[in-house]
Amino acid sequence: MASMYLKDRVGFSILFCLALTVCCLFETVRGLPDSSPKRNCADLVVCVTKAFQPLGDASKRIVGPSNDTYTDARTGEKINFDEFPALIAYAVSETEIPLLIDCAQKNKVKAVVRGGGHHFEAYSALNETLVIDIAHINHVNVSADRRTAVVGAGTRLGSLYIALDAYNTSFVGGICPTVSIGGLISAGGFNMNMRALGLSVEHVQSIKAMTVSKEVIIASEKSHSDLFWALLGGGGGTYAVGLEYTLKLTSLPNSAMVYLNWAGYKDSTAFQVARQFLRWAPLTDRSFTSQINVYNNHVEIIGWHLGKTQTELQNLMQASGLLQISPQHLLNVSISGDCNTDASRLFGFAGGLFTCTPDASAISFVMNSTPDPFTPIPGYKQYQYNETTSAPSVLSAPAWPRLRRVAKSFIVQKDNLLQDAVLREVVSRIEQLDNDSQICGEWHAWNLPAVDGPGDAFAWRNQAYAHLEFRLSGSENAAQNNVYLKWMADLESYLRPKVGPASYAGYADHGISTNPYTSYFGSNVCRLVGIKKAYDPKNFLTNPLAIPPTVPQGVTC
């Protein structure tokens, strides 16, 4: 019986390979943009199928251009019709990664390792590449003393937090539940506790990584320290492939939360609130980390007062000067105390959660993201495979919406604060856009405690005063979409000369008007180039905005 089963499974694999090979040939005739991988597509399919053969489910974990789930499988959070990979392979074990890298190298295609699929330019899947999706490598193993956790590189933040709940501990990470741990760490990891506890990269003990030569190493402060430094904020997975992260855990105390919302105004309320926020929030008590969201018709503030009481936060807000601005339009003042960590992360975000309890277990499931967490793209079949979260005993989160994201990032530095006239103009531009744009200026207060020495590759930690993100949702209507794109381009032309080049690497932008390398990595560019050359001299792991192994144009080393 066993031999008959093996024979049937091998026979099925051969038929599956033949089917995809025919599809590859068909795609060549159609002449889609990804012409190079089609020359290697048949051999690539055979190779990947062999890599997946031990589990016998290759047909479920390989998606090519002819599959009806291809559009969904190649697409992360951002809906796009620009990037068409040769093949998407869904890995479930780190032991499959070297085999898949070998497949790409033998077939002369590059590999893109995809964790969360949140790249703002959709570079989580590129033309003519083998996409290695690692979202199913999402184990969370907590140490006996609960001080560290070994976490699979594809683990999504929301399910990580829920898994850590069982151990009464947590990780200093971002709010968005569908971002992967690898994506967060590669960008630096700003978060809603950073003014007290620092960036997420400061809470990583070591990284298990695989080089392009398929050597598995442990990168830490004591071993491969140069690579460890680069992987902490030096850009997404393009120096080596992150397999596991050993995270330093923190038991976060119950806290107080605030949500403020102004609406219904026809005057300068939004400007006044934004001005006071930017004057006050980066300079107040470091246990308070906050953001302001400026929309075209309302403005809101969300803040996390770590370890403080409701009374302490009420006093802080009374002294902020914010509650006195346009009180007739201040429609929601919610200040709640005794918020546990899950409730704090959801406060003001999850369907109007404005009151905390010490136990948020009834609602925390909304963070428990599955490996493939996004909503279907209208008109296309959704890809799904073994959608088990890192906390399988908890109900899975509802699907996360996809969008046609257009975004910009500006880091305001301490020695070049935003002038009132500039801020007024920026707010005015936001207010001129229509509701369909879903425009939002999401601005975070920084001014973190200074640290000595280059502990990681994030360049702007000590200089950052605030981070200004602008995002809108593009339109299916080409003419309207061009209006939105022009709005963003005009914002870049106006604001970049006023603010300067500094930008957040996690919000990559191909339309940035300054040198992208110095904008994202500052004075660290040359050191990063040297590390890239040492670990990936042929630039096998790359994307259009990644650090190259040679000095890029416009940079002097």
Side-chain angles (χ1 to χ4, degrees):
M1 290 293 293
S3 61
M4 183 178 296
Y5 169 76
L6 179 62
K7 181 178 179 181
D8 289 345
R9 192 169 72 174
V10 171
F12 175 79
S13 296
I14 293 172
L15 289 174
F16 174 68
C17 291
L18 287 173
L20 276 182
T21 299
V22 170
C23 294
C24 291
L25 294 173
F26 174 69
E27 295 298 327
T28 303
V29 173
R30 276 207 317 188
L32 289 180
D34 45 339
S35 57
S36 176
K38 293 183 185 67
R39 293 194 301 269
N40 310 293
C41 185
D43 291 340
L44 181 62
V45 169
V46 171
C47 187
V48 173
T49 302
K50 184 179 293 186
F52 286 169
Q53 192 168 344
L55 291 183
D57 60 353
S59 63
K60 297 178 181 179
R61 296 196 283 135
I62 301 174
V63 180
S66 64
N67 292 108
D68 56 4
T69 56
Y70 174 74
T71 295
D72 185 87
R74 68 169 179 80
T75 306
E77 184 195 41
K78 179 178 180 176
I79 298 173
N80 81 93
F81 293 92
D82 302 309
E83 303 297 340
F84 298 92
L87 211 63
I88 303 108
Y90 288 83
V92 297
S93 167
E94 65 181 57
T95 59
E96 294 175 334
I97 305 300
L99 302 176
L100 296 173
I101 293 293
D102 192 55
C103 288
Q105 291 173 336
K106 285 181 177 178
N107 287 280
K108 296 181 173 56
V109 299
K110 295 195 174 188
V112 175
V113 180
R114 181 174 69 188
H118 272 266
H119 197 286
F120 274 31
E121 291 293 350
Y123 294 162
S124 303
L126 297 174
N127 287 326
E128 309 185 5
T129 62
L130 170 62
V131 173
I132 302 174
D133 187 288
I134 60 171
H136 291 81
I137 303 178
N138 61 351
H139 54 275
V140 176
N141 299 321
V142 177
S143 64
D145 60 8
R146 304 187 183 189
R147 296 177 63 181
T148 61
V150 176
V151 175
T155 303
R156 298 189 184 272
L157 296 181
S159 60
L160 168 64
Y161 301 147
I162 302 304
L164 294 177
D165 282 347
Y167 299 87
N168 195 31
T169 190
S170 195
F171 175 69
V172 178
I175 291 295
C176 182
T178 55
V179 169
S180 74
I181 188 65
L184 176 78
I185 298 305
S186 68
F190 79 81
N191 61 82
M192 286 293 283
N193 302 128
M194 64 185 176
R195 299 193 65 248
L197 302 178
L199 300 174
S200 299
V201 290
E202 297 162 38
H203 297 263
V204 179
Q205 180 172 295
S206 64
I207 300 174
K208 185 179 182 180
M210 191 191 73
T211 68
V212 293
S213 62
K214 296 177 283 295
E215 177 188 6
V216 176
I217 60 177
I218 302 297
S220 68
E221 292 180 353
K222 297 180 180 180
S223 175
H224 299 280
S225 58
D226 54 346
L227 178 62
F228 184 60
W229 177 85
L231 293 174
L232 302 179
T238 54
Y239 305 93
V241 179
L243 300 174
E244 286 183 335
Y245 292 78
T246 299
L247 307 177
K248 304 173 188 176
L249 303 181
T250 302
S251 181
L252 298 174
N254 282 13
S255 302
M257 298 295 298
V258 59
Y259 174 87
L260 308 176
N261 182 46
W262 290 259
Y265 49 81
K266 299 294 183 182
D267 53 16
S268 62
T269 292
F271 162 70
Q272 294 178 56
V273 173
R275 178 178 62 181
Q276 184 59 22
F277 175 86
L278 291 172
R279 287 178 175 178
W280 169 79
L283 301 177
T284 194
D285 185 345
R286 290 200 190 277
S287 62
F288 185 73
T289 301
S290 56
Q291 69 184 69
I292 181 171
N293 301 325
V294 182
Y295 300 93
N296 66 336
N297 57 12
H298 69 286
V299 58
E300 61 187 15
I301 289 173
I302 300 171
W304 186 336
H305 209 188
L306 183 65
K308 302 299 182 178
T309 66
Q310 181 181 31
T311 299
E312 287 173 308
L313 181 52
Q314 287 170 338
N315 292 337
L316 186 75
M317 298 311 299
Q318 282 294 336
S320 71
L322 289 163
L323 300 182
Q324 291 74 37
I325 297 173
S326 193
Q328 69 275 26
H329 300 299
L330 182 51
L331 305 185
N332 190 333
V333 179
S334 297
I335 301 176
S336 189
D338 207 16
C339 306
N340 80 347
T341 301
D342 287 346
S344 298
R345 288 188 166 116
L346 293 169
F347 195 86
F349 292 99
L353 173 65
F354 302 120
T355 302
C356 291
T357 61
D359 178 14
S361 58
I363 59 167
S364 58
F365 76 92
V366 302
M367 295 191 293
N368 196 24
S369 299
T370 61
D372 298 293
F374 303 115
T375 53
I377 302 171
Y380 297 93
K381 185 177 179 180
Q382 187 174 27
Y383 176 84
Q384 297 273 277
Y385 170 81
N386 190 22
E387 300 302 318
T388 303
T389 74
S390 301
S393 63
V394 177
L395 186 68
S396 296
W400 188 263
R402 281 182 164 119
L403 69 163
R404 288 173 165 79
R405 184 196 298 273
V406 183
K408 291 282 179 187
S409 163
F410 303 81
I411 293 178
V412 177
Q413 299 188 67
K414 296 174 184 177
D415 60 357
N416 184 28
L417 300 184
L418 208 60
Q419 299 300 306
D420 285 357
V422 176
L423 178 60
R424 186 186 295 274
E425 172 64 20
V426 168
V427 171
S428 175
R429 291 183 181 216
I430 290 174
E431 292 177 333
Q432 290 169 16
L433 277 175
D434 59 22
N435 292 337
D436 288 342
S437 70
Q438 301 179 46
I439 181 64
C440 177
E442 182 179 314
W443 305 341
H444 288 257
W446 280 59
N447 190 25
L448 279 56
V451 293
D452 297 328
D456 52 70
F458 183 75
W460 306 113
R461 186 198 190 284
N462 288 347
Q463 298 97 327
Y465 180 81
H467 174 247
L468 314 181
E469 178 198 354
F470 299 81
R471 66 174 183 271
L472 55 78
S473 179
S475 174
E476 293 184 36
N477 181 285
Q480 187 60 49
N481 195 58
N482 287 335
V483 171
Y484 296 154
L485 293 176
K486 184 179 185 303
W487 188 93
M488 277 293 188
D490 290 346
L491 177 70
E492 174 76 23
S493 298
Y494 174 75
L495 190 55
R496 188 69 63 186
K498 307 289 194 303
V499 174
S503 188
Y504 188 67
Y507 296 162
D509 172 19
H510 76 271
I512 195 168
S513 58
T514 49
N515 185 296
Y517 303 106
T518 52
S519 290
Y520 297 130
F521 308 113
S523 60
N524 292 332
V525 173
C526 293
R527 183 179 175 187
L528 288 169
V529 168
I531 295 168
K532 175 70 172 179
K533 182 178 181 181
Y535 286 90
D536 186 14
K538 295 183 180 180
N539 208 24
F540 175 70
L541 300 169
T542 190
N543 67 58
L545 291 174
I547 289 286
T550 57
V551 178
Q553 186 176 359
V555 176
T556 302
C557 292

